[in-house]
Amino acid sequence: MDEFALIKKFFGTDADAKTPVGSGDVAQGCALSLGADGVITAIGDDCAVLELPAGKQLVVSIDTMLEGVHFPEGAPGFDVGTRVLCGALSDLAAMGAHPLWFTLALTLPRVSTDWLKAFSSGLRSVARQFNCTLVGGDTTKGPLCITVQVHGSVQPGASLLRSGAVVGDDIFVSECLGDGAAALALMNNQLEVDAAAGEYLLNRFYRPQPQILLGQQLVGIASAAIDVSDGLLADLGHVCTASGVGATVDLGAVPTHPSWNAKVTQQQQWQWALKGGDDYQLLFTVPPNKVAQLNKKGLPVQKIGCLVEGSGVSVAHLSEPMDFTADGYNHFG
Ligand code: ADP
Ligand code: MG
């Protein structure tokens, strides 16, 4: 199968996907162009032509995932597809944006129709869930590498930025932290949990649900937001730097998941929750006069600290001294 047949079969329109490709090879309907709003011309021309909803601003982000770096070598195609799109959409969530479209740059070592079919189904399941349409891409040969660029919309001026936090604001996170690191430990045989917990963790690793609805609900409430992809301390550090403030985190308030937290030492729990990456939860700050408005929404969020004068992140209520420098994952570090 050549490049063009591959694109048509796995990433084209539903109609394309029903067209037989090659000798006796009937496509399985994994195509991704879902025919969403604002798509004037999608896959098949030199560019996609897209129409932004009237009066909205465009929000764009791009993410690359490499085999052996962002997902294990030999990971199932479906899981790789869900992970790349969930991870990319998490950035839109952090801006309070509404997902619209995505493009896909795919570098493949070889054409495996089984892998591609699974990969495109994985992508499609997330694309459907968040109503985000594949509108174009690029396909090349080389070591497995996937880049996804997501496009979303916001009301003018409504984006949740890293730079809006103010001294005195409270710091919140959504759901639990440390799942990404715990999942990695599980995959590396460094953590033993029961089958249900194992399933929970692998699901969190391969399908880290982008907090799109939460992000949208935080518009007008949060003063700053970021998604936790490099680790809580590192990402909170980014908010502090961008906003010119310092932060204090109350270690006892950092939420971790019962599927694994009792299986490791307290120190390990804190390391994974504070320094592990890949959680894709939202970390956000809320001015004191908006906290009641946040609480009224009954969202699954937890207050973990507050912003203070100065710079950098400090961790309070430690029963044992720990070395918590705010270094997250850094590809060239
Ligand atoms: P060009 O040479 O003009 O850059 P290509 O031959 O690379 O165009 O791609 C042809 C069409 O197929 C374009 O519309 C492009 O967006 C789309 N396309 C290529 N690869 C992918 C992919 N992996 N996923 C989705 N669309 C793709
Ligand atoms: Mg061209």
Side-chain angles (χ1 to χ4, degrees):
M1 192 188 306
D2 73 8
E3 175 192 335
F4 302 104
L6 181 156
I7 295 164
K8 213 171 172 186
K9 175 167 177 177
F10 294 104
F11 306 107
T13 61
D14 284 324
D16 285 339
K18 294 192 187 88
T19 311
V21 180
S23 51
D25 183 12
V26 179
Q28 306 292 320
C30 291
L32 272 154
S33 252
L34 305 175
D37 296 344
V39 180
I40 312 297
T41 297
I43 294 168
D45 216 311
D46 293 309
C47 293
V49 182
L50 306 166
E51 190 162 273
L52 205 57
K56 296 286 174 74
Q57 286 179 338
L58 181 63
V59 180
V60 181
S61 168
I62 191 162
D63 273 307
T64 293
M65 289 201 182
L66 288 161
E67 181 174 42
V69 177
H70 300 91
F71 54 88
E73 277 174 40
F78 186 90
D79 290 342
V80 174
T82 54
R83 177 159 163 81
V84 291
L85 191 51
C86 284
L89 285 168
S90 177
D91 285 317
L92 290 185
M95 302 300 285
H98 175 93
L100 292 170
W101 316 296
F102 71 104
T103 54
L104 169 70
L106 189 56
T107 303
L108 298 168
R110 73 195 75 82
V111 175
S112 156
T113 45
D114 283 346
W115 193 90
L116 275 165
K117 189 180 151 201
F119 173 74
S120 67
S121 319
L123 269 186
R124 186 188 183 90
S125 69
V126 178
R128 278 242 163 93
Q129 186 187 348
F130 295 97
N131 202 16
C132 192
T133 310
L134 181 66
V135 294
D138 199 23
T139 307
T140 51
K141 188 172 176 184
L144 182 59
C145 175
I146 301 137
T147 297
V148 167
Q149 184 175 50
V150 288
H151 306 76
S153 66
V154 286
Q155 289 291 356
S159 308
L160 302 172
L161 305 180
R162 296 178 181 187
S163 56
V166 174
V167 171
D169 289 356
D170 285 336
I171 307 166
F172 290 83
V173 288
S174 59
E175 300 183 19
C176 291
L177 293 174
D179 285 353
L184 216 55
L186 177 70
M187 288 189 277
N188 292 330
N189 300 316
Q190 291 156 349
L191 173 69
E192 259 185 57
V193 291
D194 62 31
E199 201 183 315
Y200 166 81
L201 285 175
L202 289 185
N203 209 43
R204 287 281 298 125
F205 184 82
Y206 285 118
R207 279 161 287 284
Q209 293 299 292
Q211 300 288 314
I212 295 287
L213 289 178
L214 174 61
Q216 291 168 359
Q217 294 195 73
L218 293 177
V219 170
I221 294 179
S223 51
I226 190 169
D227 65 321
V228 182
S229 54
D230 294 337
L232 173 70
L233 294 184
D235 289 316
L236 180 53
H238 296 320
V239 170
C240 287
T241 304
S243 298
V245 295
T248 302
V249 170
D250 177 355
L251 202 48
V254 175
T256 56
H257 199 268
S259 70
W260 59 269
N261 61 11
K263 300 276 182 191
V264 301
T265 63
Q266 181 69 78
Q267 294 271 325
Q268 185 67 89
Q269 248 187 75
W270 286 333
Q271 288 286 348
W272 286 350
L274 270 67
K275 299 186 75 172
D278 282 338
D279 283 326
Y280 298 103
Q281 298 295 351
L282 290 190
L283 169 68
F284 57 96
T285 58
V286 178
N289 65 355
K290 297 231 168 121
V291 169
Q293 204 182 331
L294 174 73
N295 290 338
K296 229 169 77 188
K297 289 183 180 275
L299 301 166
V301 299
Q302 168 78 33
K303 182 185 161 186
I304 59 161
C306 62
L307 298 178
V308 295
E309 302 274 359
S311 63
V313 181
S314 62
V315 178
H317 300 300
L318 284 174
S319 54
E320 306 163 56
M322 293 186 74
D323 175 23
F324 277 124
T325 44
D327 53 341
Y329 190 79
N330 180 334
H331 286 272
F332 296 100

